[in-house]
Amino acid sequence: MNKLLLIIPLLLILGGIALGKLVDYLSNPLTYRIQVDSPIQLSDFSGSTTVHGGDEQTYSYSVTNKANRDISGVFKFIIHEPDTPTENDADAILTIGDKTITPQKDVNETTKDLIFTSGTITLKAGDTVKAEWRITFNPRLEPGNYSFETQVVPG
């Protein structure tokens, strides 16, 4: 009788485990694959590729919020320089729609970048706005190969 009392709980445990595995096998799970795209689209870029020291250039592009909710983020304009940049190499003004912003200016000596960053800007769901950077280059800017990059970083 004592052996029977020990065997019954063991059989119940083993039966429960087996039934649990059978339920997993019979449950027929559904699997979905999704692709996540950037919620922000930049397009219609325009601006000069020839710059001289002392020039004021305008670079503009469209920014579309493709998400179905408002997105806040910062706008960046990055100048990649051939030599170590200084804060005196250029100044910038950013206009988004009817809003004009004086961006923060930072130097990254490691990547040789002069980076202009706006404060936080909110894009309404589905809206497209025009962003326009007016960059004034220092007359003593060294000749060389420079490149520009624009970003909108959600945050």
Side-chain angles (χ1 to χ4, degrees):
M1 184 68 138
N2 287 338
K3 288 184 181 183
L4 188 58
L5 290 175
L6 292 175
I7 292 175
I8 290 175
L10 183 60
L11 289 174
L12 288 174
I13 291 172
L14 291 174
I17 292 172
L19 186 59
K21 292 295 181 187
L22 183 60
V23 169
D24 282 346
Y25 176 73
L26 296 175
S27 70
N28 193 15
L30 295 175
T31 302
Y32 293 95
R33 293 191 186 274
I34 62 170
Q35 178 175 333
V36 177
D37 292 326
S38 173
I40 298 173
Q41 178 182 2
L42 304 181
S43 59
D44 303 325
F45 185 82
S46 68
S48 177
T49 56
T50 303
V51 175
H52 301 94
D55 281 354
E56 179 177 291
Q57 297 287 338
T58 300
Y59 300 93
S60 63
Y61 51 96
S62 295
V63 181
T64 302
N65 177 355
K66 298 189 307 181
N68 59 4
R69 67 178 195 88
D70 296 354
I71 295 177
S72 295
V74 295
F75 285 59
K76 290 187 175 193
F77 191 92
I78 302 167
I79 302 173
H80 304 288
E81 300 198 18
D83 297 313
T84 303
T86 70
E87 288 193 7
N88 297 325
D89 289 350
D91 287 310
I93 298 291
L94 170 62
T95 303
I96 299 173
D98 60 354
K99 188 181 215 179
T100 300
I101 299 161
T102 302
Q104 176 182 333
K105 185 175 9 177
D106 294 302
V107 170
N108 184 325
E109 293 179 1
T110 304
T111 59
K112 298 182 180 179
D113 293 337
L114 180 58
I115 305 166
F116 297 98
T117 306
S118 72
T120 301
I121 296 169
T122 300
L123 299 171
K124 299 289 185 193
D127 276 0
T128 298
V129 297
K130 180 179 179 182
E132 183 177 276
W133 289 92
R134 285 191 318 273
I135 309 293
T136 303
F137 294 92
N138 187 322
R140 295 190 293 167
L141 191 66
E142 292 292 324
N145 292 318
Y146 295 74
S147 62
F148 308 131
E149 179 180 336
T150 59
Q151 298 177 355
V152 178
V153 182

